[in-house]
Amino acid sequence: MSQAHVVDVPDDGGDTLTSLNDNGVLMPNFPDGPGIQGVRSVKIRNDDIMLCTYSKSGTHWLFEITRELLTGEIIEDDVTMSQTFMEFCPEEGYADLQSPRILCSHLLMKHLPEDVLNKKIKVITVLRNPKDVAVSFYNFLKKLPLVRYKGQWKNFLNPLFQGKFMYGSWMDYVIDWEQVKKTNPDLPVLTLFYEDVKQDQTREMRRICEFLGVERTDAFLSRVCDNTTMTAMRTLKNTARQIAVFRKGGVGDWKNWFTVAQNEWFDQLYQEKMTDCHLQFKYTL
Ligand code: A3P
């Protein structure tokens, strides 16, 4: 039986984030969310593609880019990742979509359907430097009505990286995915970095095309770039715009938020927790 219940998780100043505790897993309390069991039981097709990210790592952006590369079409609609966001909407919402589907989640692999591993479907993970993720997450959570968060930045950072808030700590997420790749060498995983896509979107799109096994012309790639700028997506994606997904979309905004003390604290914590992780993150471009 499901043990899901709503909890108010305090930050370091006592302000709370309304969340769902589903058998020990903290996530947003989405009104139609299927819960961990619901996600686990989703039927996976052989040609499904998983887009796995820690929240605020560029999921909406990469969903749109991947969708256009996959279909070979420039799509001007308001569909976003939330259409197939597994912990957000019940399976019925995307069960009838044409293949290949792009399924999205911020959950750890162990909470995804077993067939992701069994069927060895293609997985794209997008990682973003944790300092910009923290700033993006803070701003987003404050605007997300169902979280009811009114806290201050100074009280947010520590509990975020201690893994006390929804989706747990960024570090645990990144380490977990590195482990999944190591223990499942035959699972096709493409790891992208938000900063690399910002730096050279065409180069990264070529990598995605190769991974998906599709060929697209330079002219098409250039059109995808134009259709997935912040401005273009802000205009097209009405629902996401309303919940303030499209904020700044840059690299290095953390410098406007982190105090010297917070930065030193974070760098120390990163060194302690990520010693065995050889991924290199870019904090500026
Ligand atoms: P910021 O809050 O730093 O601006 P997610 O889609 O995983 O929720 O990530 C949201 C972050 O991606 C936000 O970061 C958002 O602005 C950024 N983003 C969304 N669309 C983008 C785009 N077209 N280009 C670059 N960044 C984008």
Side-chain angles (χ1 to χ4, degrees):
M1 248 238 302
S2 174
Q3 299 283 316
H5 57 281
V6 177
V7 283
D8 281 330
V9 181
D11 68 8
D12 279 354
D15 287 292
T16 57
L17 291 81
T18 301
S19 316
L20 186 74
N21 181 333
D22 188 349
N23 291 283
V25 182
L26 280 180
M27 61 171 95
N29 184 26
F30 295 127
D32 300 324
I36 297 288
Q37 277 317 313
V39 171
R40 287 285 282 172
S41 63
V42 167
K43 285 187 196 64
I44 295 294
R45 303 179 193 159
N46 291 334
D47 58 0
D48 280 337
I49 295 152
M50 281 286 332
L51 179 58
C52 296
T53 56
Y54 187 82
S55 188
K56 311 327 288 175
S57 300
T59 327
H60 287 76
W61 189 25
L62 269 300
F63 175 84
E64 190 57 32
I65 291 172
T66 306
R67 190 163 82 112
E68 300 192 8
L69 295 179
L70 198 58
T71 55
E73 284 170 23
I74 300 301
I75 309 169
E76 296 190 334
D77 64 14
D78 63 357
V79 169
T80 70
M81 54 130 343
S82 61
Q83 184 189 47
T84 55
F85 186 16
M86 299 178 85
E87 57 267 32
F88 172 75
C89 49
E91 185 177 8
E92 303 85 81
Y94 50 89
D96 293 335
L97 287 184
Q98 264 192 334
S99 285
R101 303 178 300 181
I102 306 168
L103 306 180
C104 305
S105 179
H106 299 321
L107 294 171
L108 296 175
M109 176 60 104
K110 66 180 174 195
H111 299 131
L112 298 178
E114 275 177 35
D115 272 350
V116 171
L117 280 179
N118 294 341
K119 295 193 170 183
K120 299 187 190 358
I121 66 168
K122 288 181 180 169
V123 178
I124 298 177
T125 66
V126 189
L127 302 176
R128 186 183 190 188
N129 86 64
K131 296 182 187 179
D132 280 332
V133 166
V135 171
S136 184
F137 211 4
Y138 173 72
N139 283 284
F140 181 67
L141 289 172
K142 284 197 70 170
K143 289 188 184 125
L144 199 60
L146 57 88
V147 177
R148 301 195 200 111
Y149 182 50
K150 297 191 169 52
Q152 296 176 50
W153 167 248
K154 64 174 183 184
N155 297 321
F156 179 80
L157 201 59
N158 188 308
L160 174 73
F161 284 108
Q162 299 295 350
K164 294 191 179 148
F165 296 153
M166 52 188 77
Y167 291 123
S169 105
W170 174 93
M171 285 144 184
D172 291 342
Y173 182 88
V174 172
I175 290 169
D176 193 80
W177 268 100
E178 285 308 288
Q179 195 57 31
V180 167
K181 288 194 272 182
K182 212 185 268 177
T183 47
N184 300 277
D186 50 354
L187 180 74
V189 182
L190 176 69
T191 303
L192 301 171
F193 290 89
Y194 178 94
E195 294 77 14
D196 289 346
V197 186
K198 282 295 292 185
Q199 196 169 43
D200 191 340
Q201 187 171 334
T202 306
R203 179 192 64 209
E204 296 307 302
M205 289 197 298
R206 288 202 184 100
R207 292 182 64 212
I208 300 172
C209 286
E210 196 184 334
F211 181 69
L212 297 176
V214 296
E215 280 188 29
R216 303 292 174 231
T217 62
D218 287 352
F220 179 76
L221 296 186
S222 162
R223 290 182 63 208
V224 175
C225 279
D226 292 345
N227 202 44
T228 55
T229 60
M230 281 284 283
T231 314
M233 289 188 65
R234 218 181 243 139
T235 311
L236 287 170
K237 312 296 178 189
N238 282 309
T239 335
R241 195 178 59 199
Q242 279 158 20
I243 55 163
V245 167
F246 307 107
R247 197 182 62 95
K248 288 196 169 177
V251 180
D253 190 33
W254 63 272
K255 289 184 192 163
N256 300 316
W257 290 80
F258 277 61
T259 63
V260 172
Q262 283 177 325
N263 201 32
E264 284 174 2
W265 170 82
F266 177 82
D267 288 345
Q268 175 72 29
L269 183 75
Y270 188 95
Q271 272 194 353
E272 284 164 19
K273 294 217 170 181
M274 303 294 279
T275 23
D276 296 331
C277 176
H278 301 295
L279 295 172
Q280 295 289 325
F281 289 91
K282 292 185 180 128
Y283 294 89
T284 49
L285 283 184

